[in-house]
Amino acid sequence: MRTSTAPRALTHRRSSPLETNLLSTPLHFGFFSSFQPPAWHAGTDRTFGEDWHNGGYHSWLAKRVEDAGFDFLFFEDTSGVSRVLGGNTDMDLRYVLSAPKNDPVALITYLAAKTSRLGLIATGSTSLYPPFLLARLYATIDNLSGGRVGWNIVTSSEDEAAQNYGLDALPPTNERYAIADEFMDVVNKLWDSWEPGAVVKDLENNVYTDPTKVHAIDHVGEHFKVRGPLNSYPSPQKKPLFAQAGGSPRGREFAARHAELIMSVTIGGVEAMKEFREDIHARMRAVGRDPREARILYALHPYIFESPAARRAAITDAQLVPVLGKHGAHLGIDLLTFDLEKPLPLDLEVNGTTSMFESLKEKARRGISLREAIIDFHWGDDALGTTGPAKDVARNLVDAMEEVGGDGYIFMATQDANGEVIDGLIDELVPELKRIGAMRTDFPGSTFRENLFSF
Ligand SMILES: Cc1cc2nc3c(=O)[nH]c(=O)nc-3n(C[C@H](O)[C@H](O)[C@H](O)COP(=O)(O)O)c2cc1C
């Protein structure tokens, strides 16, 4: 599966006592996005990113991210207008939660033509795609992009999405992952159905493809029946780079078995991040894989700001509106009707107890305002110290990775209303990361997989 087998240190030790600020091995960095408008409600002039639906905004973003030297740009996906909030689609549509959202697979095809070195990951669901369609689609984009495509493998989690594909509901988690395992078996067989060197372009004998090197797969399983072979041209990477972010034990097992890029969150700080990495490595060994066959990256929201307190103070009411709408709908109450500067009323009841409601109520008991309570809940407590001046954030990112032994980060800027968050990350944090040797300054390989495994 890996094309580069160069050994890689699993931890990032400082190179020598004289160069205490320099890392011997850089980290890997990705950038998280969604084929949606950027934080529309919080924008001051509301025109930033308004060309998102026709690829304009994400072309700009892809160029920024590529020029900065990130390994990849990542697109999450879901496929439905959600009714989870309040039992109808109102909140979802008013606050741009899961809709509108265009298809990221089409978007990365477009971005492949706008970029030349950046890895491009689009999410595709094993519960919703037929395996042949997915195998052919990603092989085609790998051809179009010159070997830069990645597939974020999800099993989906919304019944609304399943109902758009002829199902009443998604199967339970364990069954979804069992289907996903068989799905992986099928698509791997399809991508392997053309032996290396099958395309001969033999002028003398007038043969384009050697028929003895292309094979039917004749897969008949519990969930899929696929004859094969694949009918697309063998692509530079042969298979897309496999990315996955399953958090449940079954999701971790799936990632350990199949993924080359494994993503997790930083909730719980360094200890939880370390536990995740060790658990994934143990699971990889248990299925006969070398832990070096996967990169583990952690997703987080760094903010370049003069101080965490200044950042907190800069969160506007406009930014809070969709956040209050979304969390209120989860609780079944309209949080927008309460005074932001006062604690929530202590006698407030919701239908069913949730951990979020307990957290808000506990803050209310201590006299903390709804504004402060919801900021804490939504933006988190910044366990790694990644809000502040670029120098501090870069150092904290590196220190956390040294403790965790991980491979890098995926930056999220989903609250970026006007482009300032992205500017801070790319114009201030990236140069600082490069200065201390934590980010590479060029793309060493020609394919996404080569770049991710070149060190
Ligand atoms: C960086 C990152 C990106 C994710 N992208 C998606 C996505 O595009 N679509 C999706 O349905 N879930 C996405 N998830 C959620 C996970 O795929 C997964 O469903 C979740 O972590 C729950 O784990 P489980 O499926 O093992 O229960 C993402 C999670 C992370 C951390």
PDB file of all heavy atoms in Angstrom, residues 65 71 75 110 126 164 169 189 197 235 249 283 310 329 333 363 399 406 429 432 443 446:
ATOM      1  N   VAL A  65      -3.262  27.261   0.665  1.00  0.00           N
ATOM      2  CA  VAL A  65      -2.801  26.108   1.437  1.00  0.00           C
ATOM      3  C   VAL A  65      -1.633  25.412   0.712  1.00  0.00           C
ATOM      4  O   VAL A  65      -0.659  24.986   1.330  1.00  0.00           O
ATOM      5  CB  VAL A  65      -4.013  25.157   1.667  1.00  0.00           C
ATOM      6  CG1 VAL A  65      -3.569  23.818   2.189  1.00  0.00           C
ATOM      7  CG2 VAL A  65      -5.013  25.799   2.632  1.00  0.00           C
ATOM      8  N   ASP A  71       0.350  19.461   3.467  1.00  0.00           N
ATOM      9  CA  ASP A  71       0.292  18.203   2.725  1.00  0.00           C
ATOM     10  C   ASP A  71      -1.011  18.083   1.929  1.00  0.00           C
ATOM     11  O   ASP A  71      -1.015  17.555   0.832  1.00  0.00           O
ATOM     12  CB  ASP A  71       0.372  17.003   3.675  1.00  0.00           C
ATOM     13  CG  ASP A  71       1.764  16.791   4.214  1.00  0.00           C
ATOM     14  OD1 ASP A  71       2.135  17.479   5.192  1.00  0.00           O
ATOM     15  OD2 ASP A  71       2.497  15.964   3.659  1.00  0.00           O
ATOM     16  N   PHE A  75     -11.836  17.685   2.667  1.00  0.00           N
ATOM     17  CA  PHE A  75     -13.252  18.066   2.650  1.00  0.00           C
ATOM     18  C   PHE A  75     -14.107  17.013   3.328  1.00  0.00           C
ATOM     19  O   PHE A  75     -14.184  15.866   2.863  1.00  0.00           O
ATOM     20  CB  PHE A  75     -13.734  18.282   1.211  1.00  0.00           C
ATOM     21  CG  PHE A  75     -13.146  19.514   0.608  1.00  0.00           C
ATOM     22  CD1 PHE A  75     -12.001  19.434  -0.173  1.00  0.00           C
ATOM     23  CD2 PHE A  75     -13.692  20.760   0.863  1.00  0.00           C
ATOM     24  CE1 PHE A  75     -11.425  20.583  -0.699  1.00  0.00           C
ATOM     25  CE2 PHE A  75     -13.122  21.910   0.342  1.00  0.00           C
ATOM     26  CZ  PHE A  75     -11.987  21.825  -0.439  1.00  0.00           C
ATOM     27  N   TYR A 110     -12.228  19.720  -9.632  1.00  0.00           N
ATOM     28  CA  TYR A 110     -12.024  21.094 -10.086  1.00  0.00           C
ATOM     29  C   TYR A 110     -10.719  21.657  -9.508  1.00  0.00           C
ATOM     30  O   TYR A 110      -9.920  22.266 -10.212  1.00  0.00           O
ATOM     31  CB  TYR A 110     -13.235  21.905  -9.623  1.00  0.00           C
ATOM     32  CG  TYR A 110     -13.250  23.354  -9.998  1.00  0.00           C
ATOM     33  CD1 TYR A 110     -13.496  23.755 -11.310  1.00  0.00           C
ATOM     34  CD2 TYR A 110     -13.065  24.347  -9.028  1.00  0.00           C
ATOM     35  CE1 TYR A 110     -13.542  25.100 -11.644  1.00  0.00           C
ATOM     36  CE2 TYR A 110     -13.119  25.688  -9.362  1.00  0.00           C
ATOM     37  CZ  TYR A 110     -13.347  26.059 -10.667  1.00  0.00           C
ATOM     38  OH  TYR A 110     -13.395  27.395 -10.997  1.00  0.00           O
ATOM     39  N   THR A 126     -19.081   4.557   2.655  1.00  0.00           N
ATOM     40  CA  THR A 126     -19.206   3.130   2.306  1.00  0.00           C
ATOM     41  C   THR A 126     -20.641   2.636   2.484  1.00  0.00           C
ATOM     42  O   THR A 126     -20.968   1.546   2.037  1.00  0.00           O
ATOM     43  CB  THR A 126     -18.279   2.271   3.191  1.00  0.00           C
ATOM     44  OG1 THR A 126     -18.571   2.585   4.558  1.00  0.00           O
ATOM     45  CG2 THR A 126     -16.818   2.537   2.904  1.00  0.00           C
ATOM     46  N   ASN A 164     -32.179   9.209   1.555  1.00  0.00           N
ATOM     47  CA  ASN A 164     -32.046   9.719   0.184  1.00  0.00           C
ATOM     48  C   ASN A 164     -31.514   8.653  -0.763  1.00  0.00           C
ATOM     49  O   ASN A 164     -31.398   8.888  -1.961  1.00  0.00           O
ATOM     50  CB  ASN A 164     -31.096  10.925   0.160  1.00  0.00           C
ATOM     51  CG  ASN A 164     -31.712  12.122   0.856  1.00  0.00           C
ATOM     52  OD1 ASN A 164     -32.934  12.248   0.899  1.00  0.00           O
ATOM     53  ND2 ASN A 164     -30.886  12.988   1.406  1.00  0.00           N
ATOM     54  N   ALA A 169     -33.139   3.602   7.303  1.00  0.00           N
ATOM     55  CA  ALA A 169     -32.201   4.091   8.317  1.00  0.00           C
ATOM     56  C   ALA A 169     -30.850   3.443   8.055  1.00  0.00           C
ATOM     57  O   ALA A 169     -30.763   2.448   7.332  1.00  0.00           O
ATOM     58  CB  ALA A 169     -32.694   3.712   9.712  1.00  0.00           C
ATOM     59  N   LYS A 189      -9.768  -4.961  -4.441  1.00  0.00           N
ATOM     60  CA  LYS A 189      -9.687  -5.936  -5.548  1.00  0.00           C
ATOM     61  C   LYS A 189      -9.847  -5.231  -6.902  1.00  0.00           C
ATOM     62  O   LYS A 189      -9.174  -5.565  -7.869  1.00  0.00           O
ATOM     63  CB  LYS A 189     -10.796  -6.991  -5.399  1.00  0.00           C
ATOM     64  CG  LYS A 189     -10.539  -8.053  -4.336  1.00  0.00           C
ATOM     65  CD  LYS A 189     -11.686  -9.052  -4.421  1.00  0.00           C
ATOM     66  CE  LYS A 189     -11.830  -9.965  -3.253  1.00  0.00           C
ATOM     67  NZ  LYS A 189     -13.149 -10.605  -3.199  1.00  0.00           N
ATOM     68  N   GLY A 197       1.868  -2.728 -15.189  1.00  0.00           N
ATOM     69  CA  GLY A 197       2.352  -2.950 -16.559  1.00  0.00           C
ATOM     70  C   GLY A 197       1.292  -3.476 -17.510  1.00  0.00           C
ATOM     71  O   GLY A 197       1.619  -3.909 -18.628  1.00  0.00           O
ATOM     72  N   SER A 235      -4.117   4.562 -12.261  1.00  0.00           N
ATOM     73  CA  SER A 235      -3.767   5.942 -11.899  1.00  0.00           C
ATOM     74  C   SER A 235      -2.412   5.991 -11.210  1.00  0.00           C
ATOM     75  O   SER A 235      -1.899   4.967 -10.753  1.00  0.00           O
ATOM     76  CB  SER A 235      -4.855   6.514 -10.992  1.00  0.00           C
ATOM     77  OG  SER A 235      -4.783   5.936  -9.720  1.00  0.00           O
ATOM     78  N   PRO A 249     -14.573   2.315  19.314  1.00  0.00           N
ATOM     79  CA  PRO A 249     -13.635   1.186  19.254  1.00  0.00           C
ATOM     80  C   PRO A 249     -13.684   0.481  17.893  1.00  0.00           C
ATOM     81  O   PRO A 249     -12.660   0.148  17.309  1.00  0.00           O
ATOM     82  CB  PRO A 249     -14.119   0.271  20.381  1.00  0.00           C
ATOM     83  CG  PRO A 249     -14.795   1.191  21.347  1.00  0.00           C
ATOM     84  CD  PRO A 249     -15.406   2.276  20.516  1.00  0.00           C
ATOM     85  N   ARG A 283      -3.526  -1.745  17.771  1.00  0.00           N
ATOM     86  CA  ARG A 283      -4.489  -2.380  16.859  1.00  0.00           C
ATOM     87  C   ARG A 283      -3.850  -2.677  15.503  1.00  0.00           C
ATOM     88  O   ARG A 283      -4.170  -3.677  14.866  1.00  0.00           O
ATOM     89  CB  ARG A 283      -5.712  -1.476  16.673  1.00  0.00           C
ATOM     90  CG  ARG A 283      -6.618  -1.396  17.905  1.00  0.00           C
ATOM     91  CD  ARG A 283      -7.727  -0.379  17.679  1.00  0.00           C
ATOM     92  NE  ARG A 283      -8.472  -0.085  18.881  1.00  0.00           N
ATOM     93  CZ  ARG A 283      -9.533  -0.787  19.307  1.00  0.00           C
ATOM     94  NH1 ARG A 283      -9.949  -1.821  18.609  1.00  0.00           N
ATOM     95  NH2 ARG A 283     -10.161  -0.444  20.409  1.00  0.00           N
ATOM     96  N   ALA A 310      -7.981  37.973  24.611  1.00  0.00           N
ATOM     97  CA  ALA A 310      -8.363  38.874  23.516  1.00  0.00           C
ATOM     98  C   ALA A 310      -9.197  38.114  22.490  1.00  0.00           C
ATOM     99  O   ALA A 310     -10.174  38.629  21.954  1.00  0.00           O
ATOM    100  CB  ALA A 310      -7.116  39.459  22.862  1.00  0.00           C
ATOM    101  N   ALA A 329     -31.135  23.949  19.810  1.00  0.00           N
ATOM    102  CA  ALA A 329     -31.994  22.971  19.148  1.00  0.00           C
ATOM    103  C   ALA A 329     -31.694  21.558  19.651  1.00  0.00           C
ATOM    104  O   ALA A 329     -32.595  20.727  19.784  1.00  0.00           O
ATOM    105  CB  ALA A 329     -31.809  23.054  17.643  1.00  0.00           C
ATOM    106  N   ILE A 333     -34.587  23.731  23.314  1.00  0.00           N
ATOM    107  CA  ILE A 333     -35.009  25.059  23.800  1.00  0.00           C
ATOM    108  C   ILE A 333     -34.368  26.130  22.922  1.00  0.00           C
ATOM    109  O   ILE A 333     -33.333  25.899  22.313  1.00  0.00           O
ATOM    110  CB  ILE A 333     -34.610  25.318  25.283  1.00  0.00           C
ATOM    111  CG1 ILE A 333     -33.125  25.008  25.504  1.00  0.00           C
ATOM    112  CG2 ILE A 333     -35.497  24.559  26.238  1.00  0.00           C
ATOM    113  CD1 ILE A 333     -32.626  25.396  26.868  1.00  0.00           C
ATOM    114  N   LYS A 363     -22.382  25.886  35.179  1.00  0.00           N
ATOM    115  CA  LYS A 363     -21.818  27.238  35.037  1.00  0.00           C
ATOM    116  C   LYS A 363     -22.819  28.266  35.581  1.00  0.00           C
ATOM    117  O   LYS A 363     -22.435  29.240  36.231  1.00  0.00           O
ATOM    118  CB  LYS A 363     -21.511  27.520  33.567  1.00  0.00           C
ATOM    119  CG  LYS A 363     -20.398  26.616  33.025  1.00  0.00           C
ATOM    120  CD  LYS A 363     -19.239  27.434  32.528  1.00  0.00           C
ATOM    121  CE  LYS A 363     -17.920  26.682  32.557  1.00  0.00           C
ATOM    122  NZ  LYS A 363     -17.762  25.703  31.512  1.00  0.00           N
ATOM    123  N   ASP A 399       5.494  21.110  21.163  1.00  0.00           N
ATOM    124  CA  ASP A 399       5.654  20.468  22.473  1.00  0.00           C
ATOM    125  C   ASP A 399       4.640  19.338  22.642  1.00  0.00           C
ATOM    126  O   ASP A 399       4.971  18.259  23.132  1.00  0.00           O
ATOM    127  CB  ASP A 399       5.481  21.488  23.604  1.00  0.00           C
ATOM    128  CG  ASP A 399       6.697  22.408  23.724  1.00  0.00           C
ATOM    129  OD1 ASP A 399       7.726  22.106  23.079  1.00  0.00           O
ATOM    130  OD2 ASP A 399       6.607  23.417  24.453  1.00  0.00           O
ATOM    131  N   GLY A 406       3.049  12.069  17.975  1.00  0.00           N
ATOM    132  CA  GLY A 406       2.223  12.007  16.767  1.00  0.00           C
ATOM    133  C   GLY A 406       2.909  12.591  15.552  1.00  0.00           C
ATOM    134  O   GLY A 406       4.061  13.015  15.603  1.00  0.00           O
ATOM    135  N   LEU A 429       1.516  31.847  11.441  1.00  0.00           N
ATOM    136  CA  LEU A 429       1.882  30.575  12.086  1.00  0.00           C
ATOM    137  C   LEU A 429       2.786  29.711  11.195  1.00  0.00           C
ATOM    138  O   LEU A 429       3.786  29.164  11.667  1.00  0.00           O
ATOM    139  CB  LEU A 429       0.607  29.803  12.473  1.00  0.00           C
ATOM    140  CG  LEU A 429       0.828  28.481  13.201  1.00  0.00           C
ATOM    141  CD1 LEU A 429       1.642  28.670  14.482  1.00  0.00           C
ATOM    142  CD2 LEU A 429      -0.510  27.813  13.539  1.00  0.00           C
ATOM    143  N   GLU A 432       6.414  30.674  11.167  1.00  0.00           N
ATOM    144  CA  GLU A 432       7.018  30.348  12.465  1.00  0.00           C
ATOM    145  C   GLU A 432       7.291  28.844  12.566  1.00  0.00           C
ATOM    146  O   GLU A 432       8.346  28.420  13.045  1.00  0.00           O
ATOM    147  CB  GLU A 432       6.077  30.830  13.583  1.00  0.00           C
ATOM    148  CG  GLU A 432       6.615  30.709  14.977  1.00  0.00           C
ATOM    149  CD  GLU A 432       7.954  31.405  15.204  1.00  0.00           C
ATOM    150  OE1 GLU A 432       8.250  32.404  14.527  1.00  0.00           O
ATOM    151  OE2 GLU A 432       8.710  30.917  16.077  1.00  0.00           O
ATOM    152  N   PHE A 443       7.575  20.284  -1.396  1.00  0.00           N
ATOM    153  CA  PHE A 443       6.922  18.984  -1.535  1.00  0.00           C
ATOM    154  C   PHE A 443       7.980  18.005  -2.060  1.00  0.00           C
ATOM    155  O   PHE A 443       8.395  18.110  -3.212  1.00  0.00           O
ATOM    156  CB  PHE A 443       5.750  19.072  -2.536  1.00  0.00           C
ATOM    157  CG  PHE A 443       4.568  19.839  -2.019  1.00  0.00           C
ATOM    158  CD1 PHE A 443       4.504  21.221  -2.159  1.00  0.00           C
ATOM    159  CD2 PHE A 443       3.508  19.183  -1.414  1.00  0.00           C
ATOM    160  CE1 PHE A 443       3.408  21.931  -1.691  1.00  0.00           C
ATOM    161  CE2 PHE A 443       2.406  19.891  -0.939  1.00  0.00           C
ATOM    162  CZ  PHE A 443       2.361  21.267  -1.085  1.00  0.00           C
ATOM    163  N   SER A 446       6.139  13.443  -5.743  1.00  0.00           N
ATOM    164  CA  SER A 446       5.205  13.949  -6.757  1.00  0.00           C
ATOM    165  C   SER A 446       3.768  13.532  -6.460  1.00  0.00           C
ATOM    166  O   SER A 446       2.831  14.153  -6.938  1.00  0.00           O
ATOM    167  CB  SER A 446       5.622  13.485  -8.154  1.00  0.00           C
ATOM    168  OG  SER A 446       5.544  12.083  -8.228  1.00  0.00           O
TER     169      SER A 446
END
